Amino acid sequence: MAMSGTPEFDLRIFSYLPNPRIWKATIAARLCGVRLDLRGATPRELSEWLWDFEARPLTEAEREAPQATERQGRTGFSGRLYKTEAFLDAHPFGTVPAAFSPDGRVGIFESNSIMRAVARLGQDRYPVYGTDAYAAARIDSFLDASLVFARDTQLYLLALAKGSLTADLHTRMRDAFGVFVAGIERGLAPDRQFLVGDAITLADICFVAELTLFSNEKAQATRLAEQGLACVFHDDIPTRFPRAFAHYAKLCQHPAFAPDVAPYVDKLERDIARDRHSGR
Ligand SMILES: N[C@@H](CCC(=O)N[C@@H](CS)C(=O)NCC(=O)O)C(=O)O
């Protein structure tokens, strides 16, 4: 796995694509000039890939014969996955996105930590992780609060997709979303331009990624209605949290964000329109 010469990238990331969790790294990389090597495919295709530093599609022969790398998917993947021992040494929780140092020796997992790795690699070019220890710790505070929200989002969206959503989970999601978005709203009061300090930081990037991920709920309105439930992220939410949503809209337009966010949101809007049409 060791590479000779100068690596052509600063960090490799393997994931299913597209994935808002990866944007945390790609947006930070645009801001601070870090070279990423992204590898991956659609979620369905990724179940026929070898999960490794040198991740790749399985060959036809490999797909047909029993593989020592075969494991049962746990979160977001219900079938078989193919993870090498080296992958699990580097990524003990076995999840994607999975980042690696250029020599493949260091695994970095959890999308927030992958984003922090990018920020540290590019800190001399742009202070996306804050300008001092206090700012960095305040950024971490937002990232920790975001991960709590993200975990609830993940459980909720996966249950919704699998048809196993309960009323309790729906209530829990409504409360978690309320706490998260109210915290962002208050964090921007009275008229702060950014969540931490005077420029874009990891806190703003994470906010955009997690809110967009949660927006996927809106394309499931019909499914929710079949269970007598309404969207948690309903149409009145932005007017209740005007600062948070103005901030989101402004960031989505930013040149470091738009290449990731715009195509994803365009497709999501088409999915939402289709769902609304089919639910009539
Ligand atoms: N909090 C993690 C979530 C990562 C995660 O749960 N990834 C799932 C896919 S959504 C996974 O890799 N599952 C692998 C498996 O099921 O074995 C992050 O932000 O990176």
Side-chain angles (χ1 to χ4, degrees):
M1 251 187 239
M3 298 171 69
S4 58
T6 312
E8 283 160 12
F9 55 88
D10 304 309
L11 197 70
R12 171 170 292 169
I13 306 178
F14 168 58
S15 178
Y16 62 87
L17 300 169
N19 179 357
R21 291 191 185 106
I22 298 249
W23 304 350
K24 299 175 185 177
T26 50
I27 294 167
R30 277 184 209 106
L31 286 169
C32 56
V34 169
R35 298 165 307 162
L36 298 181
D37 180 52
L38 291 187
R39 282 198 182 195
T42 65
R44 188 188 293 270
E45 286 167 325
L46 225 58
S47 56
E48 299 205 331
W49 273 52
L50 188 66
W51 292 31
D52 188 58
F53 174 62
E54 297 293 355
R56 57 168 175 81
L58 294 172
T59 63
E60 207 173 310
E62 284 171 329
R63 268 187 271 135
E64 274 158 24
Q67 293 297 311
T69 52
E70 191 176 312
R71 335 258 163 187
Q72 179 60 42
R74 279 192 306 221
T75 311
F77 292 90
S78 52
R80 285 170 302 183
L81 295 171
Y82 300 89
K83 303 178 188 177
T84 63
E85 283 297 317
F87 180 83
L88 291 171
D89 286 345
H91 294 278
F93 296 94
T95 53
V96 288
F100 293 89
S101 58
D103 61 6
R105 292 207 178 106
V106 183
I108 303 152
F109 43 95
E110 284 296 328
S111 53
N112 286 353
S113 293
I114 297 171
M115 171 174 70
R116 287 186 183 96
V118 172
R120 290 185 175 112
L121 288 165
Q123 68 188 4
D124 295 342
R125 290 181 286 270
Y126 183 99
V128 75
Y129 202 170
T131 46
D132 62 23
Y134 297 102
R138 183 170 166 80
I139 291 166
D140 283 338
S141 310
F142 278 103
L143 300 191
D144 287 355
S146 301
L147 182 56
V148 172
F149 167 64
R151 178 66 180 149
D152 282 318
T153 299
Q154 185 181 45
L155 294 175
Y156 176 75
L157 290 180
L158 289 176
L160 193 49
K162 275 195 290 187
S164 61
L165 183 67
T166 61
D168 277 354
L169 198 50
H170 183 263
T171 305
R172 182 175 158 163
M173 187 69 243
R174 194 193 57 207
D175 294 348
F177 184 52
V179 168
F180 177 68
V181 78
I184 299 294
E185 181 74 9
R186 189 66 187 80
L188 291 165
D191 54 7
R192 287 197 186 157
Q193 294 303 301
F194 301 97
L195 286 168
V196 181
D198 302 325
I200 292 172
T201 68
L202 302 185
D204 302 295
I205 298 173
C206 188
F207 164 58
V208 168
E210 295 300 349
L211 191 65
T212 310
L213 239 175
F214 186 55
S215 307
N216 279 289
E217 188 215 25
K218 295 182 187 179
Q220 302 292 330
T222 306
R223 193 174 269 219
L224 279 164
E226 281 162 9
Q227 280 190 251
L229 298 169
C231 276
V232 169
F233 195 167
H234 56 78
D235 292 347
D236 295 342
I237 293 281
T239 37
R240 282 179 43 201
F241 302 98
R243 287 185 213 102
F245 282 87
H247 190 51
Y248 176 79
K250 182 183 77 183
L251 290 171
C252 288
Q253 302 291 322
H254 187 284
F257 289 64
D260 290 319
V261 184
Y264 190 91
V265 168
D266 283 352
K267 177 176 181 303
L268 186 56
E269 276 169 5
R270 289 196 299 277
D271 292 345
I272 294 168
R274 197 175 312 120
D275 180 73
R276 286 195 177 158
H277 188 71
S278 74
R280 270 191 204 138

